[in-house]
């Protein structure tokens, strides 16, 4: 297969070809810089893998961009292993205070419930019929939690607590799909792939890495890797349906090796139209219903004003971004005095925080690095924060350079 040639006419053809799906999948920036950043290795079939026609990474990204799947239903398994420290139930205890951990106080509020996807292994049922009908259900043993978007109505229901959260979608559902807090948590391979492809710039290598079968479908594998060292991201693999262009599986492995940090993929998928009843919802008898608008109003009224009456946002002095691409680091000043530690006389609280992080020193003075398998953060003793999907050494180097 001939390599992809980067010239003005070809780029114009790419722009024209992706217009109808521009709202749907890949940001314009990804295709715009493709010629300079994307490897041109065609797909190959390994033993036992489906034998598909050769395709370049550029063509595969175009296929994702042109994907216009409007109707589907299926089951997604998602596993997340960020390597967070075991806090002995502290996180769940804090999350349970007041119910949902948001202004609503409802266990059905999507903003807190879907955060469960940030750890462990979960099974989701998903369904879609166009841009104004979607359903996502989180299955947990005998209980089920669902978010249902149907026209201008959005419902969330928690069968374990028999609570429901309701909000009106009055901000353009027909153009943007499901609105509301549930959208903030990428939960399907497509949503995760969208976020990964946004990072495909000249710091990124993108190639086709063979073929696979996912949920009984033939797929190509798109491999995304940072070019430079210093990132905690090792590689991202996206299995793309060979016929529809829909991402079927997303796997992010860390540079440190071991199990995937995120592994999300369809185990079953059907591209036929879901039954209309799939998107119907009426609260069962006895359900406690919280209205989204009322919850927000009550939360604002009940929330105590910070000491001094200042907006908390003003506490953070000038967010800066150091570096670019996968090795970029966010830096800001909390205006405080850093994290309490045992050496600073903070007692048990200081010892607890010391046990979660690594003490480091440099030209910046001293501080503590808090680590996961993907994101690390350095908090210096003078209250400055450096955070990103980069190594501890990269954070220390950035803090030293800032001095």
């Amino acid at each position: 297969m001939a390599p992809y040639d980067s010239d003005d006419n070809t780029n114009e053809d790419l722009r024209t070809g992706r217009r109808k799906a521009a709202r749907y999948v890949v940001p314009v920036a990804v295709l715009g810089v493709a010629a300079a950043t994307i490897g041109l290795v065609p797909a190959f079939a390994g033993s036992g893998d489906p034998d598909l026609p050769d395709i370049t990474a550029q063509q595969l990204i175009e296929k994702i961009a042109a994907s216009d799947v409007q109707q589907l239903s299926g089951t997604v398994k998602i596993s997340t292993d960020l390597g967070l420290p075991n806090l002995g139930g502290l996180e769940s205890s804090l999350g349970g205070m007041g119910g949902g951990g948001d202004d609503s106080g409802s266990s059905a509020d999507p903003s807190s419930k879907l955060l469960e996807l940030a750890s462990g292994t979960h099974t989701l049922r998903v369904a879609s019929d166009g841009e104004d009908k979607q359903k996502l259900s989180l299955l947990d043993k005998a209980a089920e939690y669902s978010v249902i978007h149907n026209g201008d109505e959005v419902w969330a229901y928690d069968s374990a607590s028999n609570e429901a959260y309701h909000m009106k979608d009055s901000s353009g559902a027909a153009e943007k799909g499901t609105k509301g807090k549930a959208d903030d948590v990428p939960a399907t391979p497509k949503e995760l792939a969208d976020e990964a492809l946004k990072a495909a710039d000249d710091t990124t290598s993108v190639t086709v890495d063979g073929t696979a079968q996912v949920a009984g479908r033939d797929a190509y594998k798109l491999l995304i890797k940072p070019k430079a060292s210093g990132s905690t991201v090792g590689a991202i693999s996206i299995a793309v349906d060979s016929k529809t262009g829909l991402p079927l599986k997303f796997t992010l492995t860390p540079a440190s090796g071991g199990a995937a940090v995120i592994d999300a993929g369809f185990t079953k998928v059907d591209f036929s139209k879901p039954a209309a009843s799939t998107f119907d919802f009426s609260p069962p008898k006895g359900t406690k219903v919280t209205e989204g608008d009322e919850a927000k109003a009550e939360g604002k009224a009940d929330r105590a004003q910070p000491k001094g009456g200042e907006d908390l946002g003003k506490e953070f002095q000038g967010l800066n971004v150091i570096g670019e691409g996968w090795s970029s680091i966010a830096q800001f000043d909390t205006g405080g005095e850093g994290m309490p530690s045992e050496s600073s006389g903070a007692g048990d609280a200081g010892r607890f925080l010391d046990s979660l992080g690594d003490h480091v020193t440099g030209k910046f003075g001293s501080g503590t690095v808090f680590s996961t398998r993907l994101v690390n953060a350095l908090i210096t003793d003078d209250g400055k924060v450096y955070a990103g999907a980069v190594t501890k050494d990269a954070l220390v180097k950035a803090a030293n350079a800032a001095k």
Side-chain angles (χ1 to χ4, degrees):
M1 178 171 291
Y4 171 71
D5 295 321
S6 175
D7 57 35
D8 293 340
N9 291 332
T10 306
N11 286 334
E12 179 59 29
D13 290 341
L14 290 177
R15 286 191 289 270
T16 301
R18 67 176 181 259
R19 278 172 188 156
K20 79 166 188 174
R23 72 181 189 279
Y24 216 103
V25 185
V26 184
V28 172
V30 174
L31 292 177
V33 301
T37 65
I38 294 176
L40 306 177
V41 181
F44 60 91
S47 177
D49 293 330
D51 187 9
L52 297 173
D54 289 352
I55 191 171
T56 66
Q58 176 63 39
Q59 291 169 330
L60 188 52
I61 286 186
E62 291 175 45
K63 193 175 187 69
I64 298 173
S67 177
D68 195 23
V69 174
Q70 297 285 330
Q71 298 170 335
L72 67 81
S73 57
T75 304
V76 174
K77 182 179 179 181
I78 179 169
S79 298
T80 309
D81 181 8
L82 291 171
L84 294 171
N86 185 351
L87 303 183
L90 177 63
E91 181 180 356
S92 59
S93 299
L94 292 175
M97 295 175 63
D102 190 22
D103 292 340
S104 68
S106 170
S107 68
D109 190 329
S111 64
S112 59
K113 191 67 177 180
L114 292 183
L115 289 178
E116 292 181 14
L117 300 179
S119 63
T121 298
H122 304 275
T123 300
L124 307 172
R125 278 204 301 260
V126 297
S128 177
D129 184 8
E131 295 182 340
D132 62 351
K133 290 185 179 181
Q134 296 94 30
K135 182 176 181 179
L136 183 151
S137 298
L138 173 61
L139 310 181
D140 183 15
K141 297 179 181 177
E144 180 174 324
Y145 173 81
S146 295
V147 179
I148 306 102
H149 171 226
N150 193 341
D152 63 351
E153 299 281 339
V154 179
W155 283 94
Y157 177 66
D158 185 358
S159 67
S161 62
N162 199 26
E163 292 189 30
Y165 187 88
H166 175 242
M167 47 192 165
K168 284 284 187 179
D169 180 2
S170 58
S171 53
E175 296 179 1
K176 299 182 181 179
T178 305
K179 291 291 292 180
K181 299 166 186 174
D183 273 351
D184 294 337
V185 183
T188 66
K190 174 185 175 300
E191 291 169 342
L192 290 162
D194 290 350
E195 293 301 312
L197 287 170
K198 288 177 184 177
D201 56 17
D202 59 3
T203 67
T204 308
S205 166
V206 185
T207 58
V208 180
D209 188 32
T211 64
Q213 269 220 338
V214 178
R217 306 280 301 187
D218 291 347
Y220 294 104
K221 294 190 295 183
L222 189 69
L223 186 65
I224 303 172
K225 299 178 71 173
K227 287 183 177 179
S229 60
S231 174
T232 55
V233 176
I236 293 173
S237 177
I238 302 171
V240 182
D241 187 76
S242 63
K243 291 185 177 180
T244 67
L246 181 75
L248 297 174
K249 186 175 174 64
F250 175 98
T251 305
L252 187 158
T253 53
S256 59
V261 173
I262 302 172
D263 187 31
F266 281 97
T267 57
K268 295 180 181 179
V269 65
D270 184 347
F271 293 106
S272 59
K273 180 182 177 70
S277 59
T278 303
F279 310 101
D280 293 338
F281 179 79
S282 296
K285 186 177 180 180
T287 300
K288 176 186 175 183
V289 177
T290 300
E291 293 292 337
D293 291 341
E294 294 175 6
K296 289 177 184 178
E298 291 173 1
K300 289 178 181 179
D302 294 340
R303 194 158 44 229
Q305 185 74 3
K307 187 175 181 179
E310 295 294 326
D311 184 348
L312 286 177
K314 296 179 181 178
E315 299 276 340
F316 300 95
Q317 308 297 320
L319 178 65
N320 299 313
V321 177
I322 302 170
E324 62 177 354
W326 302 91
S327 299
S328 61
I329 297 171
Q331 186 270 330
F332 59 90
D333 190 345
T334 65
E337 298 179 356
M339 296 294 294
S341 63
E342 183 177 10
S343 61
S344 66
D348 290 341
R351 280 190 292 275
F352 174 71
L353 291 172
D354 284 345
S355 70
L356 298 180
D358 296 327
H359 186 71
V360 293
T361 59
K363 294 179 181 178
F364 58 88
S366 61
T368 304
V369 174
F370 297 91
S371 300
T372 71
R373 299 179 69 217
L374 188 62
V375 178
N376 295 323
L378 163 62
I379 304 178
T380 65
D381 288 348
D382 61 356
K384 293 182 175 60
V385 177
Y386 301 82
V390 298
T391 63
K392 178 175 72 173
D393 289 344
L395 293 176
V396 171
K397 182 178 179 180
N400 283 332
K403 282 298 179 180

